[in-house]
C-alpha cells in the first residue's frame, strides 16, 4: 500500500500547523522550516558553514570578551582570568566542580570564578529569573533506565540490530512503518508509559512549577515521565507526541489507546476498523505534523527569562532551533554530557552557561544551590509512594519490566538510585 507522506507537498508558504518532524537530509535546500534529524547548527564551527548573522554575533561576542579582558588587564586582573582560561582556547572560564566529574563554563571572561550552576542559581535566588522554559530530550530519562539515541554503546541507535531496521531513523519513518511496523512496536514496548518511573530530574522540573517558575517544558521524549511525575498538562509540550492516543496511520481514524497498547504489548499489530491499515500511537514520525501545542513556543520563548536545555543532542528540527528563539539577553543553561548546538561555539555567547557531566549530578547540584534538594526528595518519596502501586498494576508486563535499579519504592534517596543506574 502506498503511504501518504506530507513533506513533499508543503512549500515555503505553509501554515504553522504544517511544520513537521522530518529528516532534513532527504530534502536538501528545501525552503520550509522542517523537522530534521540533522540540526542546522550541527557541526557548525565559527569559521565555516554558518549563516552570516551568527558569524556577526560570534564576532561581537568575541569583541565583548576581548574588551572585558582588556579592561581587566588595565586593572591588573588579566593574569587570574588568563589562568582560568588555560583550559579553554576560547577565552571562557572553566571550573571543575569539587568532588564531581562535571565541568562548568561561563560565557564571559569576567573575573568572578563562579561556575555555571552557581551563576544561574544565584540569579534565580535573587528572583531575576521567573519565567523558566525547559527544553529536554532523551538524556533526562536515561536515569530512569531508558536508553537515549546517541550515547555510544547504550543508546537505542547502537542497539538497533535487534529491531532489524535498515538504518536507525527508520524506526520513526512513516514509509518504513507502513512496510513493517514491528521495529517501531518493539521500541514502543520499551517506551510505553508504565514501565519506567520518573527520576530526580523530572521532579526538579516539577519543583520549578511548584515554585511558580516554570513557564513551559518542551520535551522531545515520548516516555510520558513528565506527566507521570505531576507536571501539569498546561505546562507541558510533548513536541514529538505520546502514546496517550492512537489512530490509523493511513486514514487517521481514532483507535482506543488501551487496545492499541494491549495489542502492541502482546506482539500483535493493531489494525484500523475502517480501512484495515496499521494503527499507530500518536508519536510524531518524520514527515508528520507536530502537535498544535508545539506552536505555543511563539509566545513562550520571547517571554522566557531563563532557558534550561537538558539531555538533548539538538539534532532534530524544528525542535533544535527553538533554543535560538529566546532574546539574546536571556541566560541559556545547557546541562548535558557534552556541548551541543550553539554551545559548541567558542567562545560561547554571552549569558550562555554550560555544565557538562551526568545530568542527575548537575541537577542535584543546582537544586542544592537553590536549597530545594530536600524538598525534591520529599516530593519524590510522597509521589512515588502514591503512584507506584498504580504503575505496577497498570504495567502489562510488570514482572521485570521496570528498570531494576529504579524499582524500589522504599528508597528514600532517589537521586542516589538514579545516579547509580546512570553510571553503571
Ligand atoms: P539523543 O539524540 O539521544 O541525545 C541525548 C543527549 O543526552 C546526548 O547528547 C547525550 O550525551 C545526553 N545524555 C544522555 N544521558 C545523559 C546523562 N545521564 N547525563 C547527561 N547527559 C546525558 O536524544 P534527543 O532527545 O536529543 O533526540 C530526540 C529524539 C530521541 C526524539 O525524537 C525522541 O523521541 C527520541 N527518544 C526518546 C526517548 C524517550 O522518550 N525517553 C528515548 C530515546 C529516544
Amino acid at each position: 500500500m502506498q503511504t501518504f507522506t506530507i513533506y513533499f507537498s508543503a512549500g515555503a508558504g505553509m501554515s504553522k500547523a504544517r511544520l513537521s518532524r522530518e529528516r532534513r537530509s532527504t530534502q536538501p535546500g528545501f525552503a520550509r522550516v522542517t523537522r530534521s534529524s540533522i540540526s542546522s547548527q550541527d557541526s557548525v564551527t565559527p569559521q565555516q558553514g554558518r549563516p552570516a548573522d551568527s558569524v556577526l554575533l560570534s564576532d561581537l561576542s568575541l569583541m565583548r570578551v576581548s574588551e572585558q579582558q582588556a579592561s581587566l588587564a588595565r586593572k591588573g586582573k588579566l593574569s587570574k582570568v588568563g589562568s582560568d582560561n588555560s583550559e579553554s582556547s576560547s577565552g571562557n572560564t572553566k571550573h571543575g566542580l569539587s568532588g564531581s566529574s562535571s565541568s562548568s563554563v561561563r560565557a564571559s571572561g569576567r573575573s568572578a570564578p563562579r561556575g555555571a550552576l552557581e551563576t544561574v542559581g544565584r540569579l534565580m535566588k535573587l528572583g531575576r529569573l521567573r519565567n523558566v522554559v525547559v527544553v529536554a530530550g532523551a538524556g533526562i530519562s536515561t536515569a530512569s533506565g531508558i536508553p537515549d539515541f546517541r550515547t555510544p554503546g547504550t543508546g537505542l541507535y547502537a542497539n538497533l540490530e535487534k529491531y532489524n531496521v535498515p538504518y536507525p531513523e527508520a524506526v520513526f519513518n512513516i514509509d518504513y512503518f507502513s512496510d513493517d511496523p514491528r521495529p517501531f512496536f518493539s521500541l514502543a514496548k520499551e517506551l510505553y508509559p508504565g514501565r519506567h518511573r520518573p527520576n530526580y530530574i523530572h521532579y526538579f522540573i516539577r519543583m520549578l512549577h511548584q515554585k511558580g517558575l516554570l513557564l513551559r517544558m518542551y520535551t522531545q521524549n515520548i516516555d510520558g515521565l513528565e506527566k507521570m511525575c505531576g507536571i501539569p498538562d498546561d505546562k507541558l509540550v510533548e513536541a514529538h507526541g505520546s502514546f496517550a492516543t492512537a489512530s490509523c496511520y493511513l486514514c487517521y481514524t481514532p483507535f482506543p489507546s488501551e487496545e492499541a497498547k494491549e495489542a502492541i504489548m502482546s506482539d500483535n499489530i493493531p489494525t484500523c476498523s475502517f480501512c484495515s491499515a496499521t494503527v499507530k500511537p500518536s508519536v510524531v514520525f518524520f514527515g508528520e505534523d507536530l502537535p498544535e501545542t508545539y506552536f505555543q513556543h511563539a509566545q513562550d520563548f520571547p517571554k522566557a527569562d531563563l532557558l534550561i536545555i537538558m539531555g538533548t543532542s539538538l539534532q532534530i528540527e524544528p525542535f533544535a532551533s527553538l533554543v535560538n528563539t529566546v532574546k539574546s539577553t536571556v541566560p541559556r543553561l545547557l546541562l548535558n554530557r557534552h556541548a551541543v548546538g550553539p554551545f559548541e561555539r567558542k567562545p560561547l555567547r554571552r549569558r550562555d552557561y554550560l555544565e557538562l557531566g551526568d545530568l542527575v549530578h548537575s541537577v542535584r547540584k543546582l537544586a542544592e544551590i537553590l536549597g530545594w534538594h530536600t524538598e525534591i526528595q520529599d516530593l519524590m518519596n510522597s509521589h512515588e509512594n502514591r503512584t507506584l502501586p498504580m504503575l505496577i498494576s497498570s504495567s502489562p508486563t510488570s514482572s521485570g519490566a521496570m528498570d531494576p535499579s529504579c524499582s524500589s519504592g522504599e528508597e528514600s534517596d532517589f537521586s542516589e538510585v538514579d545516579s547509580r543506574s546512570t553510571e553503571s
Side-chain angles (χ1 to χ4, degrees):
M1 189 175 292
Q2 189 56 46
T3 56
F4 171 67
T5 53
I6 296 160
Y7 51 78
F8 292 115
S9 64
M14 68 178 185
S15 71
K16 280 178 173 182
R18 295 193 61 82
L19 284 173
S20 61
R21 181 188 207 196
E22 193 165 292
R23 296 198 318 142
R24 174 189 297 253
S25 51
T26 60
Q27 298 178 77
F30 213 60
R32 59 183 276 216
V33 181
T34 62
R35 179 166 201 259
S36 157
S37 63
I38 309 294
S39 150
S40 56
Q41 58 223 355
D42 187 41
S43 305
V44 166
T45 64
Q47 282 77 34
Q48 63 182 173
R50 224 173 37 203
D53 58 346
S54 45
V55 175
L56 180 62
L57 273 175
S58 171
D59 290 348
L60 287 172
S61 131
L62 270 166
M63 281 168 65
R64 275 200 295 270
V65 171
S66 343
E67 273 167 24
Q68 284 156 1
Q69 286 177 334
S71 143
L72 289 169
R74 278 195 296 277
K75 293 174 190 163
K77 290 182 182 169
L78 191 58
S79 59
K80 185 173 189 319
V81 175
S83 69
D84 281 345
N85 286 349
S86 60
E87 289 174 76
S88 161
S89 59
S90 64
N92 295 326
T93 312
K94 187 168 183 172
H95 306 279
L97 287 174
S98 60
S100 91
S101 58
S102 302
S103 68
S104 169
V105 180
R106 283 193 311 133
S108 82
R110 281 162 291 177
S111 60
R114 201 176 268 128
L117 297 178
E118 284 82 357
T119 306
V120 173
R122 187 174 132 269
L123 290 170
M124 288 175 79
K125 279 164 92 174
L126 286 171
R128 300 229 190 118
L129 311 175
R130 294 166 182 277
N131 294 300
V132 183
V133 170
V134 175
V135 160
I140 71 165
S141 293
T142 55
S144 296
I146 306 174
D148 66 2
F149 265 3
R150 279 168 242 270
T151 297
T154 60
L156 291 174
Y157 277 6
N159 298 328
L160 273 172
E161 292 86 41
K162 72 175 177 191
Y163 301 130
N164 198 25
V165 291
Y167 56 93
E169 284 104 331
V171 178
F172 291 136
N173 181 305
I174 199 73
D175 297 334
Y176 190 80
F177 178 85
S178 72
D179 280 347
D180 183 4
R182 287 171 307 172
F184 172 69
F185 287 158
S186 172
L187 180 75
K189 279 177 81 170
E190 294 292 321
L191 292 176
Y192 251 114
R195 294 177 66 99
H196 300 276
R197 289 161 45 197
N199 63 62
Y200 190 88
I201 304 159
H202 297 97
Y203 283 97
F204 172 84
I205 300 162
R206 176 167 163 190
M207 188 54 70
L208 277 173
H209 162 62
Q210 285 192 197
K211 300 280 181 191
L213 300 174
L214 183 66
L215 180 58
R216 206 90 59 196
M217 174 182 193
Y218 287 76
T219 184
Q220 296 166 94
N221 292 349
I222 51 178
D223 54 33
L225 295 184
E226 297 89 356
K227 272 191 183 153
M228 202 179 289
C229 84
I231 297 170
D233 284 359
D234 64 336
K235 289 286 170 185
L236 183 64
V237 173
E238 293 176 313
H240 293 169
S242 74
F243 291 96
T245 56
S247 61
C248 173
Y249 94 93
L250 199 55
C251 73
Y252 303 111
T253 303
F255 190 87
S257 58
E258 273 310 307
E259 271 181 48
K261 181 176 180 179
E262 244 169 65
I264 292 167
M265 288 300 181
S266 347
D267 293 324
N268 292 320
I269 294 180
T271 49
C272 175
S273 48
F274 184 69
C275 75
S276 300
T278 307
V279 164
K280 181 176 85 55
S282 1
V283 169
V284 179
F285 278 30
F286 294 113
E288 289 193 317
D289 291 345
L290 271 63
E292 285 293 323
T293 52
Y294 173 77
F295 300 106
Q296 292 176 88
H297 74 80
Q299 286 84 49
D300 287 347
F301 280 68
K303 271 194 235 152
D305 48 29
L306 171 65
L307 179 64
I308 304 181
I309 303 154
M310 29 169 77
T312 172
S313 59
L314 292 180
Q315 293 281 302
I316 308 284
E317 292 292 0
F319 194 92
S321 292
L322 283 180
V323 304
N324 297 320
T325 62
V326 288
K327 289 183 208 140
S328 60
T329 51
V330 167
R332 301 189 294 190
L333 172 65
L334 173 71
L335 308 175
N336 212 37
R337 279 222 178 90
H338 54 267
V340 294
F343 293 81
E344 288 177 274
R345 173 186 298 179
K346 290 180 180 177
L348 291 175
R349 188 180 88 168
R350 197 175 177 193
R351 298 198 177 82
D352 274 354
Y353 299 95
L354 179 57
E355 183 75 14
L356 298 181
D358 179 71
L359 253 172
V360 172
H361 175 88
S362 303
V363 169
R364 179 175 172 159
K365 175 99 185 159
L366 180 57
E368 279 166 354
I369 291 167
L370 293 167
W372 296 357
H373 175 60
T374 310
E375 224 177 321
I376 293 173
Q377 277 185 301
D378 291 347
L379 177 66
M380 284 184 80
N381 287 333
S382 65
H383 195 255
E384 292 287 315
N385 287 338
R386 262 205 332 271
T387 57
L388 188 62
M390 271 165 49
L391 275 178
I392 289 172
S393 62
S394 71
S395 170
T397 51
S398 54
S399 63
M402 297 205 309
D403 183 76
S405 61
C406 299
S407 62
S408 166
E410 284 84 53
E411 285 286 346
S412 59
D413 186 344
F414 287 91
S415 61
E416 294 302 327
V417 176
D418 294 331
S419 298
R420 279 198 303 273
S421 72
T422 308
E423 283 159 16
S424 63

